[in-house]
């Protein structure tokens, strides 16, 4: 009993345990209360029962929120949990807070999730609740992107607890994979699979095992485990995993040439989702489009758009959701070459710019960033219709102006975000990056301040990732500094190029050193092959060191990564560098 409740001296003073401890104490100390001992016993028994039980109205309340959560309607789940019952015990309070944290994390509301998880008080919690809280904290740190605090939380768990808990096993597996301890990750996942019977948990375990085998360069095992994960997912579908588990399996099928099976899988997921739930329909649409892109099948992509359009007729979207959807659809339809009439683009962009005020300030910034990027893509390919091109240029200038007017929102977000909210911080640093690029493009004189902010901001991104344990993302950020320095130097006027060299070449060389340092320490090269080729390229462009470039190409060749599965531009870059180092 003490193992379960973990009583301490302070427990008797906590309201949750008062009905357990004080009636027997009072009864034993005051003999004259004997006639009331049965009542005291009843009060004490009731206290024991309420420690781990909920009233029917509490259960109904939490189950209603949990139902919305599993339907992927996270904001609705949060709304239900905010309407708290008048009478609520400690168990119901803890269960509702835990569910609220998860719903807020899934909704992308990391700051609110932080406030909610910090509001959970450990005093008065039962042992299993304290255990659940450590899992919740680990999930929170993992989701917000702080791998240092995530690993710190996970490392506190005894091995016995990990082997007895699927949730802890999955999180420990993530920690081991990020630390490149693939054999240990494989071992604990396989051990837990042998003890688990829940299809929902088995699908997650097998999916994580397939990820581990993929990093280890064992494609046969990876494929087997993905298939097992899919089988168990079908028995008890977790719809929030559509972008993960069905997606991974479908992409794997496409890469192995089994297009018919991949198409069938996409259709099977369509049958599973609730067509009346916006989030589920959107998740399926994005999943189906990505599979179609990977397969190079425009008919699949068009079918996904048609299904989504038909399902949307029965769905109700808020004003802000409609604007957000129009922005996303604009980008996707351009990338997928779905829009039949190119002349529609100006009118659609005008509609977005006109209605953008229904969004919150931060949402407006996100929407404007996305619209300007789409317009830049369109104009980069040049329009056949000069009138449309002229209109799009004007609209791009308008959107950039609107974005610059909202620069204070970006500054406010970067100032107020707590340090552990790494992913949110990185998002707003990327927005700051885009704003400085706009300023540079508009400048008629050397934009010294904008270049300084551009490179300093990117350095901050790289150092933040590294400090928080995301070394792969830090590698990407350091390489971006090299890439943008080289690109700007080639694009700007000669006089600007000289000043760029004087002020920022040192940082570009430092970034190259840091990227090399990270790659030298890595033992698992899966997923960083592109960066290895990038380092070979920058050895030549920044240092003129052809021997070092050849060594990095040698490291790429040692990974046995097939360029046949890579993008055309990467294959061409590899050939160009190879010719340079051998010529």
């Amino acid at each position: 009993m003490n193992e379960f409740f973990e009583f301490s001296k302070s427990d008797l003073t906590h309201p949750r345990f008062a009905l357990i401890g004080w009636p027997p104490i009072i009864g034993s100390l005051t003999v004259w209360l004997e006639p009331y001992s049965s009542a005291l016993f009843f009060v004490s028994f009731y206290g024991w029962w309420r420690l781990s039980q909920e009233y029917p109205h509490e259960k109904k309340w939490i189950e209603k929120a949990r139902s919305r959560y599993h339907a992927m309607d996270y904001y609705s789940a949060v709304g239900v949990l905010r309407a708290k019952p008048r009478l609520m015990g400690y168990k119901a309070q803890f269960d509702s807070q835990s569910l609220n944290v998860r719903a807020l994390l899934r909704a992308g509301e990391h700051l609110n999730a932080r406030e909610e998880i910090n509001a959970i008080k450990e005093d008065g919690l039962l042992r299993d609740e304290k255990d659940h809280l450590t899992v919740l904290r680990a999930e929170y740190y993992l989701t917000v992107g702080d791998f240092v605090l995530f690993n710190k939380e996970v490392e506190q768990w005894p091995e016995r607890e990990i082997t007895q808990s699927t949730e802890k096993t999955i999180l420990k597996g993530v920690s081991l994979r990020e630390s490149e301890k693939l054999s240990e990750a494989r071992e604990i996942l396989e051990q837990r699979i042998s003890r688990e019977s829940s299809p929902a948990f088995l699908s997650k375990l097998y999916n994580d095992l397939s990820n581990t085998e993929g990093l280890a360069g064992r494609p046969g095992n990876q494929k087997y485990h993905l298939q097992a994960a899919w089988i168990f997912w079908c028995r008890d579908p977790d719809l929030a995993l559509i972008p993960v588990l069905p997606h991974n399996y479908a992409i794997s099928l496409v890469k192995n040439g089994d297009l018919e099976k991949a198409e069938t899988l996409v259709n099977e997921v369509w049958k599973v989702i609730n067509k009346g739930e916006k989030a589920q329909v959107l998740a399926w649409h994005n999943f189906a489009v990505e599979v179609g892109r990977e397969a190079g099948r425009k008919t699949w992509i068009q079918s996904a758009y048609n299904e989504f359009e038909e399902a949307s007729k029965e769905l109700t979207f808020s004003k802000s959701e409609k604007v957000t959807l129009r922005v996303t659809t604009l980008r996707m339809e351009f990338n997928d070459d779905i829009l039949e009439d190119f002349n529609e683009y100006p009118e659609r962009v005008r509609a977005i710019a006109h209605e953008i005020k229904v969004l919150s300030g931060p949402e407006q910034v996100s929407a404007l960033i996305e619209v300007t990027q789409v317009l830049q893509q369109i104009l980069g390919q040049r329009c056949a219709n000069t009138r449309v091109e002229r209109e799009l240029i004007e609209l791009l200038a308008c959107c950039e102006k609107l974005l610059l007017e909202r620069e204070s929102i970006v500054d406010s977000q970067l100032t107020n975000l707590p340090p552990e909210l790494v992913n949110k911080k990185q998002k707003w640093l990327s927005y700051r990056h885009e704003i400085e690029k706009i300023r540079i493009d508009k400048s008629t004189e050397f934009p010294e301040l904008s270049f300084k902010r551009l490179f300093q901001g990117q350095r901050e991104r790289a150092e933040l990732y590294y400090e928080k344990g995301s070394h792969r993302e830090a590698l990407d950020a350091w390489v971006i500094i090299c890439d943008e320095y080289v690109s700007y130097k080639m694009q700007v006027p000669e006089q600007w190029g000289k000043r760029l060299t004087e002020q920022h070449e040192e940082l570009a060389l430092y970034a190259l050193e840091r990227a090399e340092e990270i790659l030298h320490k890595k033992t698992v090269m899966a997923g960083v092959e592109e960066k290895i080729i990038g380092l070979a390229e920058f050895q030549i462009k920044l240092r003129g060191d052809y021997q070092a470039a050849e060594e990095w190409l040698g490291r790429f060749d040692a990974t046995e990564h097939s360029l046949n599965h890579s993008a055309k531009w990467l294959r061409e870059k590899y050939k160009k560098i190879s010719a340079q180092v051998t010529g």
Side-chain angles (χ1 to χ4, degrees):
M1 186 178 296
N2 189 45
E3 283 186 10
F4 182 76
F5 292 112
E6 291 188 334
F7 282 130
S8 65
K9 292 179 181 179
S10 62
D11 286 332
L12 289 177
T13 63
H14 193 280
R16 186 174 193 182
F17 302 104
L19 294 182
I20 301 172
W22 288 110
I25 293 174
I26 294 172
S28 62
L29 292 178
T30 54
V31 179
W32 57 272
L33 281 177
E34 186 178 351
Y36 306 99
S37 61
S38 60
L40 290 172
F41 172 78
F42 174 79
V43 170
S44 185
F45 175 79
Y46 172 77
W48 281 105
W49 181 81
R50 279 294 276 165
L51 280 177
S52 58
Q53 300 297 319
E54 295 170 347
Y55 282 136
H57 75 282
E58 294 172 330
K59 287 183 179 179
K60 185 177 179 181
W61 168 57
I62 292 174
E63 282 306 314
K64 182 180 178 181
R66 190 170 283 121
S67 173
R68 300 314 308 149
Y69 175 83
H70 288 304
M72 297 177 65
D73 190 355
Y74 304 120
Y75 284 108
S76 178
V78 170
V80 171
L81 292 169
R82 283 176 179 167
K84 299 178 182 179
R86 292 182 180 179
L87 181 63
M88 180 170 62
Y90 281 92
K91 176 174 172 51
Q93 180 178 335
F94 177 76
D95 289 347
S96 66
Q97 286 178 305
S98 300
L99 182 58
N100 200 22
V101 171
R102 288 195 166 99
L104 288 166
L105 288 174
R106 288 277 181 90
E109 299 289 345
H110 295 178
L111 188 59
N112 291 335
R114 177 180 184 269
E115 293 174 357
E116 186 69 21
I117 199 169
N118 288 340
I120 299 176
K121 305 299 182 184
E122 284 197 54
D123 58 316
L125 294 182
L126 305 182
R127 179 172 180 175
D128 64 329
E129 291 169 346
K130 290 178 180 178
D131 191 58
H132 181 78
L133 182 57
T134 66
V135 171
L136 188 64
R137 283 202 193 103
E139 290 177 358
Y140 164 77
Y141 291 131
L142 179 62
T143 304
V144 301
D146 194 327
F147 276 93
V148 171
L149 292 178
F150 166 71
N151 287 326
K152 185 178 179 181
E153 194 72 39
V154 171
E155 286 166 5
Q156 294 177 11
W157 301 337
E159 185 178 345
R160 177 178 57 84
E161 290 184 8
I162 294 171
T163 57
Q164 293 175 354
S165 165
T166 297
E167 288 181 316
K168 288 186 174 181
T169 296
I170 289 172
L171 292 167
K172 181 65 175 179
V174 172
S175 177
L176 291 170
R177 277 199 306 278
E178 288 298 316
S179 302
E180 300 188 349
K181 299 176 181 178
L182 302 185
S183 297
E184 294 178 41
R186 182 187 301 115
E187 183 180 355
I188 66 165
L189 290 167
E190 288 176 341
Q191 287 178 353
R192 189 59 203 167
I193 283 171
S194 66
R195 301 174 184 175
E196 185 58 73
S197 59
S198 162
F201 276 138
L202 283 168
S203 66
K204 295 176 182 178
L205 287 165
Y206 273 112
N207 183 69
D208 281 14
L209 191 53
S210 79
N211 290 337
T212 304
E213 298 292 27
L215 290 173
R218 300 166 70 172
N221 290 357
Q222 181 184 23
K223 182 180 177 181
Y224 170 80
H225 295 314
L226 266 177
Q227 187 174 12
W230 167 250
I231 291 170
F232 285 112
W233 186 86
C234 289
R235 294 180 187 176
D236 187 7
D238 182 347
L239 300 176
L241 291 180
I242 289 175
V244 181
L245 198 156
H247 173 273
N248 290 351
Y249 188 37
I251 297 297
S252 171
L253 291 170
V254 169
K255 288 183 176 179
N256 287 308
D258 200 342
L259 300 186
E260 184 177 348
K261 196 169 182 179
E263 186 178 18
T264 300
L265 186 150
V266 171
N267 293 332
E268 286 298 317
V269 176
W270 175 250
K271 293 175 184 177
V272 169
I273 67 168
N274 183 343
K275 313 304 184 296
E277 294 289 349
K278 291 177 288 190
Q280 294 180 35
V281 174
L282 279 167
W284 176 86
H285 173 64
N286 293 334
F287 154 65
V289 167
E290 287 184 25
V291 176
R293 287 174 186 161
E294 186 69 30
R297 294 297 180 91
K298 192 171 180 178
T299 53
W300 294 11
I301 298 173
Q302 185 65 65
S303 177
Y305 277 97
N306 293 342
E307 293 283 13
F308 177 73
E309 186 177 350
E310 192 63 29
S312 296
K313 294 176 182 177
E314 305 299 321
L315 299 173
T316 302
F317 295 94
S318 67
K319 288 183 178 179
S320 61
E321 286 174 332
K322 287 178 181 177
V323 176
T324 302
L325 192 57
R326 283 173 186 164
V327 173
T328 305
T329 304
L330 181 75
R331 171 180 53 80
M332 291 180 67
E333 288 186 349
F334 172 74
N335 290 335
D336 297 320
D337 194 22
I338 291 296
L339 193 64
E340 295 180 1
D341 188 358
F342 196 80
N343 296 326
E344 289 183 19
Y345 274 109
E347 192 55 42
R348 291 177 64 177
V349 174
R350 281 193 199 92
I352 292 171
H354 180 71
E355 297 175 355
I356 205 167
K357 290 183 180 179
V358 304
L359 302 176
S360 67
E363 288 173 335
Q364 289 180 33
V365 173
S366 299
L368 286 166
I369 289 283
E370 193 159 358
V371 172
T372 55
Q373 289 175 341
V374 173
L375 289 172
Q376 288 164 358
Q377 281 182 283
I378 297 171
L379 292 167
Q381 294 187 8
R382 311 301 296 177
C383 307
N385 187 321
T386 55
R387 180 188 61 80
V388 172
E389 182 178 12
R390 188 168 56 253
E391 289 183 32
L392 291 176
I393 291 172
E394 292 173 357
L395 286 167
L396 176 59
C398 174
C399 289
E400 288 176 342
K401 181 174 180 293
L402 291 172
L403 182 58
L404 292 174
E405 289 172 353
R406 287 156 178 77
E407 186 176 3
S408 60
I409 296 173
V410 178
D411 294 335
S412 175
Q413 291 289 326
L414 289 172
T415 301
N416 296 327
L417 281 171
E420 80 259 24
L421 300 188
V422 180
N423 292 337
K424 289 294 183 184
K425 186 95 171 179
Q426 292 290 356
K427 183 183 82 168
W428 288 98
L429 282 169
S430 73
Y431 290 171
R432 159 60 62 196
H433 196 79
E434 290 299 319
I435 286 173
E436 298 308 333
K437 287 171 75 172
I438 290 171
R439 281 215 168 90
I440 291 169
D441 290 342
K442 289 180 174 295
S443 296
T444 55
E445 296 181 357
F446 182 71
E448 183 173 341
L449 182 59
S450 289
F451 271 127
K452 182 179 179 181
R453 287 177 174 173
L454 182 88
F455 288 114
Q456 282 185 346
Q458 191 59 27
R459 178 175 183 165
E460 184 179 350
R461 295 191 71 191
E463 291 176 340
L464 178 61
Y465 273 133
Y466 195 83
E467 177 190 342
K468 296 299 184 178
S470 299
H471 293 176
R472 185 172 302 188
E473 288 75 13
L475 172 63
D476 290 346
W478 287 121
V479 171
I480 286 173
I481 291 177
C482 300
D483 186 42
E484 293 202 327
Y485 171 77
V486 170
S487 297
Y488 273 118
K489 193 174 177 183
M490 293 172 62
Q491 294 170 16
V492 299
E494 184 179 352
Q495 289 302 315
W496 287 25
K498 290 179 180 179
R499 294 184 66 179
L500 197 64
T501 300
E502 292 170 1
Q503 297 177 13
H504 301 292
E505 184 179 54
E506 184 179 348
L507 174 59
L509 290 169
Y510 175 73
L512 182 57
E513 289 175 8
R514 293 302 306 274
E516 287 178 301
E517 179 186 317
I518 293 172
L519 270 179
H520 278 307
K521 290 179 180 178
K522 286 187 70 63
T523 57
V524 177
M525 294 299 174
V528 297
E529 296 88 356
E530 178 187 325
K531 300 300 176 291
I532 298 176
I533 295 177
L535 286 195
E537 177 186 24
F538 295 126
Q539 297 297 333
I540 297 172
K541 291 186 174 180
L542 289 174
R543 292 176 177 161
D545 191 339
Y546 290 87
Q547 183 179 346
E550 187 174 11
E551 290 173 1
W552 280 109
L553 285 186
R555 290 199 66 176
F556 172 82
D557 294 337
T559 66
E560 298 182 354
H561 176 79
S562 174
L563 279 168
N564 293 329
H565 296 152
S566 301
K568 181 181 178 182
W569 67 266
L570 187 62
R571 296 197 300 269
E572 291 176 349
K573 180 181 286 189
Y574 176 86
K575 290 178 183 177
K576 182 179 179 181
I577 300 169
S578 295
Q580 287 177 307
V581 299
T582 57

